[in-house]
Amino acid sequence: MARRGATSVTRDDFSFVSPVVKYLLFFFNMLFWVISMVMVAVGVYARLLKHAEAAMACLAVDPALLLISVGVLMFLITFCGCIGSLRENICLLQAFSICLTLVFLLQLSAGIVGFVFSDKFNCCGGISYNDWSQNIYFNCSSENQSRERCSVPYSCCLHNEDEAVVNTMCGYRVQTLDYLEAAGWNSPFSGSD
C-alpha cells in the first residue's frame, strides 16, 4: 500500500527524455521544417519562371530542381524529428537519427573528395568547354545574336602572370576551335583535366 501524501507517478507522466531536450529538438526541427518549405516554394517559383524550352534543356543540373529536391528531403527528415520528439516516438527518432548520420557521412565524403581532387577545380564546364554551348548566351546557334556567341566565360581563361592588361574577352569564339587548339599554350581555355 502506498503511504498517504506520497505522490504516485502514472504511466502517462513518465518520460525518459528531459522536457528541455524534447522541446529544444522540437523547436529546431520546426525551424528547419519551415526553412525546407521555403526552399521548396522558392524552387517551384524559380522553376515556373523559366521559359518552357530553357526549362527542358538540362534538367540534371537545374538549380531549381536541386532546391526542390533538397527541400523535400529536408522536409521529410525534419518532419520525422519534429513529430518523433514531440510524441517521443522511438521509431521516428531512430529514422531521424539514421537520416542525419547518412547526411553527415555524405557531407564528410564530399568534403574529402573535394579536398583530394581540388586540383581539378580549375576546369571550364562539366565535361569540356563545349558545355557552354547549352547556355543561351554562349551557344553557337544562328538564332543567338549575343556578342558572346560561341565563346566561353572569362573564368575559363588561363592568365599569364606577366600580363599588364587583363583581357576580359579572352574566351571569345573558343567554341569554334577543336579541343587541341583550345587547350594550346597561348589559348585562353583552361582544360577540364
Side-chain angles (χ1 to χ4, degrees), residues 138 146-159 163 165-174 187-189:
F138 296 110
S146 172
R147 194 174 286 191
E148 287 106 7
R149 182 177 182 262
C150 294
S151 301
V152 294
Y154 171 73
S155 61
C156 292
C157 298
L158 290 174
H159 305 287
E163 286 181 345
V165 178
V166 177
N167 180 8
T168 58
M169 291 299 290
C170 57
Y172 184 70
R173 309 284 293 164
V174 169
S187 171
F189 171 68

Side-chain angles (χ1 to χ4, degrees), residues 128-183:
S128 75
Y129 63 98
N130 287 325
D131 292 342
W132 285 101
S133 64
Q134 296 177 7
N135 186 290
I136 60 173
Y137 300 108
F138 296 110
N139 69 26
C140 291
S141 66
S142 59
E143 295 88 28
N144 185 4
Q145 300 300 320
S146 172
R147 194 174 286 191
E148 287 106 7
R149 182 177 182 262
C150 294
S151 301
V152 294
Y154 171 73
S155 61
C156 292
C157 298
L158 290 174
H159 305 287
N160 293 334
E161 295 171 7
D162 57 346
E163 286 181 345
V165 178
V166 177
N167 180 8
T168 58
M169 291 299 290
C170 57
Y172 184 70
R173 309 284 293 164
V174 169
Q175 290 187 51
T176 60
L177 305 174
D178 66 7
Y179 188 77
L180 292 177
E181 289 175 328

Side-chain angles (χ1 to χ4, degrees), residues 39 42-44 46-48 50 61-69:
M39 286 174 62
V42 168
V44 168
R47 185 78 180 137
L48 292 176
K50 289 185 172 187
V61 292
D62 187 9
L65 287 181
L66 181 66
L67 200 60
I68 292 170
S69 60

Side-chain angles (χ1 to χ4, degrees), residues 17-27 85-88:
V17 181
S18 166
V20 174
V21 173
K22 175 181 172 178
Y23 290 111
L24 272 177
L25 185 62
F26 173 75
F27 172 74
S85 67
L86 194 60
R87 305 280 299 177
E88 295 182 24

Side-chain angles (χ1 to χ4, degrees), residues 50-156:
K50 289 185 172 187
H51 299 300
E53 65 275 358
M56 298 304 288
C58 190
L59 291 177
V61 292
D62 187 9
L65 287 181
L66 181 66
L67 200 60
I68 292 170
S69 60
V70 168
V72 167
L73 181 68
M74 192 170 144
F75 180 85
L76 293 174
I77 291 172
T78 56
F79 180 77
C80 287
C82 210
I83 301 301
S85 67
L86 194 60
R87 305 280 299 177
E88 295 182 24
N89 187 324
I90 300 299
C91 183
L92 286 176
L93 287 174
Q94 285 176 340
F96 176 70
S97 176
I98 290 169
C99 288
L100 282 186
T101 303
L102 289 175
V103 167
F104 173 74
L105 291 175
L106 285 173
Q107 288 179 342
L108 183 67
S109 61
I112 291 171
V113 168
F115 179 74
V116 169
F117 295 110
S118 63
D119 60 337
K120 296 188 187 316
F121 289 153
N122 60 351
C123 63
C124 180
I127 298 172
S128 75
Y129 63 98
N130 287 325
D131 292 342
W132 285 101
S133 64
Q134 296 177 7
N135 186 290
I136 60 173
Y137 300 108
F138 296 110
N139 69 26
C140 291
S141 66
S142 59
E143 295 88 28
N144 185 4
Q145 300 300 320
S146 172
R147 194 174 286 191
E148 287 106 7
R149 182 177 182 262
C150 294
S151 301
V152 294
Y154 171 73
S155 61
C156 292

